[in-house]
Amino acid sequence: MNTRTLELMVGLFVAAGIAALFMLAMSASNLSSYGGDEGYTVKARFDNIGGLKTRSPVSAGGVRIGRVTEIGYDMAGYEAWVTMSIDPQYDAFPIDTSASILTSGLLGEQYVGLEPGAEDEYLASGSVITLTQSALVLEQIIGQFLYSKGDE
Amino acid sequence: MVETILNRTQMLGRATLDGFARLGRASLFLLEVLSNLGGMLKRPGLLIKQLFSVGVQTLIIIVVAGLFVGMVMALQSYYALVDFGAENSVSVMVVLSLLRELGPVITALLFAGRAGSALTAEIGLMKTTEQLSGMEMMAVNPIERIVAPRFLAGVIAMPLLAAIFSAVGVMGGYLVAVELLGLDAGAFWSQAQENVELIDDLGNGMIKSLVFGVVVSWIAVFEGYDCIPTSEGLGQATTRTVVYGSLAILVLDFVLTALMFGK
């Protein structure tokens, strides 16, 4: 085999490998919705975060606008802290925006849903969302239901 | 009686020491190969030639295996998921298992069998027929001239082959899921994009295959260079490359998975 064909084949091989990587990155992974980390971060306090995890989606009106970056527990207030990063193009949420932990579908993953408020000031990096609603824990709901049934 | 026990114990001790000595030789050998990688800059032709025999010629088996592994994954996960009405998650199952595990691991196993054994046999035969000593006699460094290009070609080829394996596997999964089982094409891709992370899944898979590339190429060139220069020794060295290579891949895969995804 002469050098030209050999080099051509190797070139094709390397190109095919890079094309395969590119294809995997573009169509089979979340590169297209990859916002990077340049979003601004907002914190919220919850009594109970249920099954929320880091990298869970943050959405408003059903549209994904960011993701949860950090979850911690505050020993001073006995509350869970959720830090989320919101994509920079969604920078005009009023400061009285409320956050609730919702479940997609009956058994789906949990996410943070933002409900915009009405104030003129906007959330900025480091803001804290004060109006929050905890996750619905199935066992508690069933427990309350049985309790109320027992009263009847 | 006492004599037998002593002999046995001595044999055990010798085997252990031999094992460690081999490991030490292999590590020194790796250092020597790494320090001779610079010679490739003078002669890029050597590397290209090896990339051809290690990469391009392994391509066919990788593509065929990837296609069928992807197709089988789609069929089997459909069977399990359809009971829960979650058959649209077939793509997540196929893509995640290909990117995280099957792509790097099966590629590395096939690579050890197809290219690793060939590397060992080639270098081992050169040693057996005293071509390597002949080179040394002519003041040509056989590590720089023979071993280093083969090692580097293996390290470069492995991630590329793993990427091709996964990509072809995803397409095979797509064929079965969409064309054969009648799932929705849009849901197939959107589910995958929703659940597969670029860095965590694709990136970690590529790191895995790079590690496998280093380890398999290292074992292959070392076994060839260290083989007993007889036809029997050459055969044993080739077998050892495949056995040690495959075992190293599977053990390392567990370690890497535990480090990357074990949170």
Side-chain angles (χ1 to χ4, degrees):
Chain A
M1 190 173 299
N2 66 34
T3 322
R4 192 180 147 71
T5 358
L6 193 117
E7 285 175 356
L8 206 68
M9 300 286 268
V10 173
L12 278 177
F13 165 62
V14 175
I18 293 169
L21 263 182
F22 190 71
M23 176 253 164
L24 287 171
M26 289 312 288
S27 66
S29 81
N30 65 346
L31 180 67
S32 34
S33 61
Y34 204 75
D37 291 331
E38 63 264 24
Y40 61 100
T41 56
V42 174
K43 283 186 162 196
R45 268 184 290 210
F46 293 95
D47 290 332
N48 190 335
I49 60 162
L52 199 72
K53 296 184 184 68
T54 48
R55 299 217 316 274
S56 291
V58 176
S59 62
V63 180
R64 203 189 71 80
I65 56 164
R67 51 180 68 242
V68 173
T69 52
E70 202 186 335
I71 291 175
Y73 190 69
D74 176 23
M75 278 312 285
Y78 300 115
E79 280 170 323
W81 272 102
V82 173
T83 310
M84 39 205 152
S85 163
I86 300 189
D87 294 351
Q89 67 264 39
Y90 308 108
D91 58 352
F93 279 103
I95 50 165
D96 58 342
T97 294
S98 66
S100 34
I101 295 178
L102 307 167
T103 310
S104 58
L106 196 58
L107 297 167
E109 57 169 352
Q110 293 193 299
Y111 63 97
V112 179
L114 296 185
E115 192 67 36
E119 291 282 337
D120 289 336
E121 281 180 68
Y122 296 135
L123 288 175
S125 195
S127 300
V128 175
I129 297 178
T130 42
L131 296 167
T132 60
Q133 192 192 348
S134 292
L136 291 176
V137 179
L138 209 56
E139 290 91 326
Q140 288 176 0
I141 297 171
I142 294 173
Q144 282 166 5
F145 175 74
L146 290 177
Y147 197 71
S148 64
K149 276 283 169 196
D151 280 352
E152 283 173 13
Chain B
M1 184 63 197
V2 175
E3 189 63 16
T4 334
I5 294 176
L6 279 179
N7 280 341
R8 285 290 148 86
T9 319
Q10 191 196 352
M11 271 164 67
L12 179 68
R14 192 194 294 151
T16 316
L17 287 177
D18 281 354
F20 277 112
R22 237 178 109 68
L23 199 63
R25 275 209 305 285
S27 309
L28 289 176
F29 180 76
L30 180 67
L31 280 182
E32 209 177 339
V33 171
L34 289 178
S35 65
N36 277 305
L37 283 181
M40 222 84 66
L41 296 173
K42 284 183 286 180
R43 292 171 169 276
L46 287 176
L47 177 65
I48 292 188
K49 200 158 170 237
Q50 291 313 316
L51 266 177
F52 179 79
S53 64
V54 163
V56 178
Q57 294 189 328
T58 317
L59 208 52
I60 297 169
I61 188 173
I62 292 293
V63 168
V64 175
L67 186 69
F68 283 97
V69 167
M71 284 170 32
V72 165
M73 281 296 304
L75 267 183
Q76 295 286 22
S77 47
Y78 177 81
Y79 180 75
L81 291 169
V82 74
D83 285 350
F84 304 101
E87 65 267 26
N88 277 327
S89 299
V90 164
S91 65
V92 183
M93 186 100 179
V94 172
V95 175
L96 273 188
S97 38
L98 276 171
L99 286 185
R100 286 181 166 193
E101 294 294 337
L102 297 178
V105 172
I106 297 187
T107 305
L109 290 176
L110 291 174
F111 185 91
R114 165 67 183 75
S117 58
L119 284 182
T120 306
E122 198 181 2
I123 297 177
L125 192 68
M126 284 183 185
K127 186 184 183 186
T128 312
T129 53
E130 293 179 344
Q131 292 180 50
L132 294 183
S133 351
M135 278 187 173
E136 267 168 26
M137 214 83 88
M138 291 186 290
V140 176
N141 184 354
I143 303 245
E144 186 184 330
R145 187 67 196 262
I146 300 292
V147 178
R150 284 168 173 73
F151 176 77
L152 189 62
V155 175
I156 295 174
M158 186 76 91
L160 294 173
L161 288 170
I164 293 172
F165 184 98
S166 300
V168 174
V170 171
M171 293 194 223
Y174 176 84
L175 271 184
V176 168
V178 175
E179 305 296 333
L180 191 69
L181 301 171
L183 300 182
D184 182 53
F188 185 91
W189 293 119
S190 68
Q191 281 284 327
Q193 287 173 0
E194 190 93 336
N195 290 290
V196 179
E197 296 282 330
L198 182 71
I199 307 290
D200 282 2
D201 297 323
L202 183 58
N204 278 343
M206 286 298 113
I207 293 175
K208 265 189 185 179
S209 68
L210 193 67
V211 173
F212 295 159
V214 172
V215 171
V216 174
S217 311
W218 175 25
I219 291 176
V221 292
F222 175 70
E223 290 294 350
Y225 199 79
D226 197 57
C227 80
I228 303 162
T230 57
S231 47
E232 199 187 1
L234 186 56
Q236 284 169 352
T238 316
T239 311
R240 273 203 303 271
T241 294
V242 179
V243 174
Y244 290 170
S246 308
L247 290 178
I249 290 160
L250 295 172
V251 172
L252 268 177
D253 180 50
F254 172 74
V255 175
L256 288 174
T257 306
L259 285 178
M260 289 168 173
F261 307 113
K263 279 169 270 175

